[in-house]
Amino acid sequence: MPDARPRWSAPFPGLALAAALTVAAWALQAAETRLFGHPVIEAIVLAILLGMIVRTAWKPGPRWEPGIKLGAKQVLEIAIVLLGASVNLPLLMSAGAPLLISILIVVVGGLAAAYGLGRTLGLNPRLATLIACGNAICGNSAIAAVAPVIGADKEDVASSIAFTAVLGVIVVLTLPLLIPLLGFSDYQYGALAGMTVYAVPQVIAATFPVSALSGEVGTLVKLVRVLLLGPIVVFFSLRNRRIGEQKLSAGSLVPWFITGFLVLAMLRSVGLIPAEVAGPVREVSRWMTVIAMAALGLGVDVRVLGKVGGRVIATVTGSLVVLITLSALLIRFFGIG
């Protein structure tokens, strides 16, 4: 007999699990504050770690998957849109053309470096291309978008996504350690994270625990990188003569949440969203972001490290080092921040 439950209830178990982990993460942050006077690990990172611990010990079945996927994608996208209502867009854009030029150089340089390294290590051209796009642009979203236009196999997609997800979490935990080593300001660190971290949620998790300014700069820079996915997909479509097989809509080239973020940011900058409204909206965005981080953690299984292969690990890790090095040099060269 078919399940008679309404479809809207399907995401509830997974979302409830992510929400429970969110409450636990905030509780742990509060306990840290009482013990040490400040949080050692912020709730946004704790949520990812708790999700990963649960995922490693237990794989959520089909009942949980809809809510986990909804939390990691749609909830996060709404949180990003709401974040726009509280950002100072003129301040974020103060770096101007040098920052935009740096982003373009990092994306193009990252693509070339990752592809070249992958081919040197013996990866097939399609797998090397997927890893390059995932590293240089926006992680799994770029891999999923580029895979069909280059005719990639499912095995190549799985291999490129697997380690990228795990390494992304490692980067979230370790990238802030570079701040004292590089002597970067909060603005500069936000730019560095936005230019190097793979996915939007990982950028958020790596920057907001440092400061609100780092988070806002990192998010904006990352969204500019995401916008470059459109031209990259078109490039590979034309190169592989698959442009006629792909339905490249405006929504696929410019994700809706980027548009929403920029619209709210502009409204806030011209005073149409008052401060007394922006504050509560920002708080809602924070809670939704932590829920999304918990859902993200629930989708990361650290055991994939033993399955993806040494050459994939070396390619992803090596290209990440190139991204960080190139980004740091450009920030210094252009005097960004």
Side-chain angles (χ1 to χ4, degrees):
M1 182 176 178
D3 191 346
R5 289 178 301 174
R7 290 190 175 186
W8 57 262
S9 66
F12 179 77
L15 277 178
L17 176 59
L21 293 176
T22 296
V23 172
W26 282 112
L28 286 172
Q29 178 178 305
E32 292 177 79
T33 303
R34 281 193 293 269
L35 286 172
F36 307 108
H38 62 87
V40 178
I41 304 177
E42 299 271 351
I44 197 169
V45 179
L46 287 168
I48 295 179
L49 296 177
L50 290 174
M52 290 178 64
I53 291 171
V54 172
R55 175 64 179 85
T56 301
W58 165 70
K59 181 180 180 180
R63 178 188 178 205
W64 307 87
E65 288 179 1
I68 292 173
K69 291 179 179 178
L70 181 69
K73 182 173 172 58
Q74 282 85 1
V75 171
L76 176 67
E77 291 173 347
I78 295 172
I80 292 170
V81 172
L82 295 179
L83 177 63
S86 62
V87 303
N88 186 335
L89 194 58
L91 174 62
L92 301 188
M93 299 298 294
S94 61
L99 180 57
L100 180 59
I101 292 171
S102 297
I103 296 170
L104 292 172
I105 292 174
V106 166
V107 169
V108 174
L111 283 168
Y115 181 82
L117 181 58
R119 295 294 289 138
T120 300
L121 293 174
L123 299 183
N124 68 67
R126 291 184 176 88
L127 180 54
T129 299
L130 292 179
I131 291 175
C133 292
N135 283 13
I137 305 172
C138 54
N140 296 352
S141 298
I143 293 170
V146 172
V149 302
I150 65 172
D153 298 330
K154 291 182 179 179
E155 292 78 8
D156 290 340
V157 175
S159 296
S160 56
I161 285 177
F163 186 64
T164 299
V166 177
L167 185 60
V169 175
I170 296 173
V171 173
V172 166
L173 299 174
T174 58
L175 193 65
L177 300 177
L178 294 180
I179 297 175
L181 295 176
L182 297 174
F184 275 2
S185 66
D186 286 357
Y187 190 106
Q188 290 173 320
Y189 171 71
L192 175 71
M195 286 191 282
T196 57
V197 180
Y198 302 136
V200 175
Q202 294 166 354
V203 172
I204 292 172
T207 53
F208 274 100
V210 174
S211 74
L213 177 59
S214 291
E216 292 167 2
V217 173
T219 300
L220 181 63
V221 171
K222 180 60 184 178
L223 294 183
V224 174
R225 279 174 69 194
V226 174
L227 282 174
L228 295 177
L229 177 59
I232 293 299
V233 170
V234 172
F235 168 78
F236 282 112
S237 297
L238 293 172
R239 182 184 177 189
N240 292 273
R241 297 185 180 181
R242 290 173 176 263
I243 190 70
E245 303 173 19
Q246 306 300 317
K247 295 180 180 180
L248 299 177
S249 64
S252 66
L253 300 180
V254 183
W256 75 273
F257 62 90
I258 296 181
T259 303
F261 172 89
L262 293 175
V263 167
L264 289 188
M266 288 187 287
L267 293 176
R268 175 75 179 101
S269 298
V270 299
L272 293 180
I273 298 179
E276 54 268 24
V277 173
V281 170
R282 185 191 190 108
E283 194 62 25
V284 172
S285 176
R286 286 180 62 199
W287 271 88
M288 294 183 71
T289 300
V290 179
I291 291 174
M293 295 302 106
L296 177 70
L298 287 167
V300 176
D301 186 355
V302 296
R303 288 170 294 192
V304 301
L305 290 175
K307 303 177 183 178
V308 296
R311 291 180 297 175
V312 172
I313 292 174
T315 301
V316 176
T317 305
S319 58
L320 174 64
V321 172
V322 171
L323 281 176
I324 293 174
T325 303
L326 181 59
S327 299
L329 290 174
L330 288 168
I331 289 170
R332 288 294 191 198
F333 177 78
F334 286 113
I336 295 172

